[in-house]
Amino acid sequence: DQQVKQNSPSLSVQEGRISILNCDYTNSMFDYFLWYKKYPAEGPTFLISISSIKDKNEDGRFTVFLNKSAKHLSLHIVPSQPGDSAVYFCAATPHYGGATNKLIFGTGTLLAVQP
Amino acid sequence: DAGVTQSPTHLIKTRGQQVTLRCSPKSGHDTVSWYQQALGQGPQFIFQYYEEEERQRGNFPDRFSGHQFPNYSSELNVNALLLGDSALYLCASSRDTVWEQYFGPGTRLTVT
């Protein structure tokens, strides 16, 4: 049962344009959402997160939008740069007593930014 | 400030053998989680350690066990290795009650 879904295995974007990566989830208990970027032969790197009480969070070129009613979130990268080329994972975690909790990951989207 | 470190980087084992993987958390972090990432998949949660005890466990058999030491470092042990255990094993650390987890580079385990 895939609770976090990234339906686009890959995405190709021109340098300078916007990249939009999408993620859907099924579990209404998820309370916090995170995006990670992964280069080959490296561990995932934390990018940006959003709590379920917000609908938008921004950090530089990265913005995450959350639509709770649709159980959908998206990551916008503007402007896209060749160094952004990597696999992007969406992750979610349920709120259990405030403790750090397990992350449930999607299968990832490979972003290729063309110069 | 050193991030999360893992050892070894790569490991090749034979079916039926046992393996131990090691993780040192980021400075100031007290919680360690282990994940298994198979090819083409997202990381899957194995278990989490806090205050030297296993606090949560994912859907993995008892062949997978772990330990956390007083300095917060951690080990993952896998007994009776199967071919299907071949994967990238990731360690993530965090401060308790903080949502963000920071990952190490992983250990690539190959079982032949």
Side-chain angles (χ1 to χ4, degrees):
Chain A
D1 177 25
Q2 191 71 27
Q3 298 185 69
V4 177
K5 300 176 186 177
Q6 294 177 258
N7 292 320
S8 298
S10 63
L11 175 68
S12 183
V13 172
Q14 286 295 119
E15 181 178 4
R17 299 289 193 109
I18 184 171
S19 295
I20 300 176
L21 297 103
N22 294 304
C23 177
D24 297 295
Y25 63 95
T26 57
N27 190 338
S28 57
M29 291 294 290
F30 288 150
D31 212 40
Y32 203 77
F33 304 88
L34 307 91
W35 284 94
Y36 284 84
K37 177 171 74 172
K38 187 178 186 302
Y39 294 117
E42 294 185 13
T45 301
F46 170 71
L47 267 179
I48 191 169
S49 60
I50 188 166
S51 165
S52 60
I53 62 172
K54 295 186 174 182
D55 55 18
K56 178 182 174 181
N57 188 27
E58 203 168 348
D59 184 1
R61 296 187 297 115
F62 301 91
T63 302
V64 56
F65 295 92
L66 175 62
N67 182 333
K68 279 191 70 177
S69 60
K71 292 190 175 67
H72 176 82
L73 64 156
S74 60
L75 174 67
H76 293 209
I77 306 174
V78 184
S80 301
Q81 299 172 353
D84 295 330
S85 298
V87 177
Y88 288 77
F89 290 100
C90 168
T93 184
H95 177 78
Y96 288 150
T100 303
N101 217 319
K102 64 182 179 183
L103 297 176
I104 311 295
F105 283 86
T107 51
T109 295
L110 175 62
L111 173 65
V113 180
Q114 309 297 333
Chain B
D1 174 31
V4 180
T5 61
Q6 292 186 244
S7 64
T9 306
H10 294 90
L11 206 49
I12 299 176
K13 289 286 188 179
T14 304
R15 273 180 300 176
Q17 284 188 317
Q18 178 264 344
V19 68
T20 297
L21 311 181
R22 296 177 176 82
C23 170
S24 290
K26 189 176 165 64
S27 177
H29 287 185
D30 55 11
T31 302
V32 173
S33 302
W34 286 91
Y35 293 82
Q36 179 195 67
Q37 186 179 15
L39 206 59
Q41 301 295 317
Q44 299 283 319
F45 175 76
I46 302 174
F47 43 52
Q48 182 184 89
Y49 278 84
Y50 172 69
E51 293 188 339
E52 301 179 51
E53 301 229 340
E54 183 183 290
R55 179 162 67 178
Q56 296 179 62
R57 190 177 182 91
N59 190 24
F60 279 81
D62 292 345
R63 298 187 297 110
F64 290 77
S65 63
H67 190 78
Q68 185 179 36
F69 299 94
N71 67 352
Y72 307 119
S73 67
S74 178
E75 288 181 350
L76 164 66
N77 300 293
V78 188
N79 294 323
L81 285 167
L82 304 173
L83 295 179
D85 295 332
S86 295
L88 180 67
Y89 288 85
L90 295 162
C91 168
S93 75
S94 55
R95 283 188 293 120
D96 191 41
T97 73
V98 175
W99 301 98
E100 292 83 9
Q101 297 181 25
Y102 293 84
F103 286 82
T107 294
R108 172 71 62 188
L109 172 65
T110 302
V111 181
T112 61

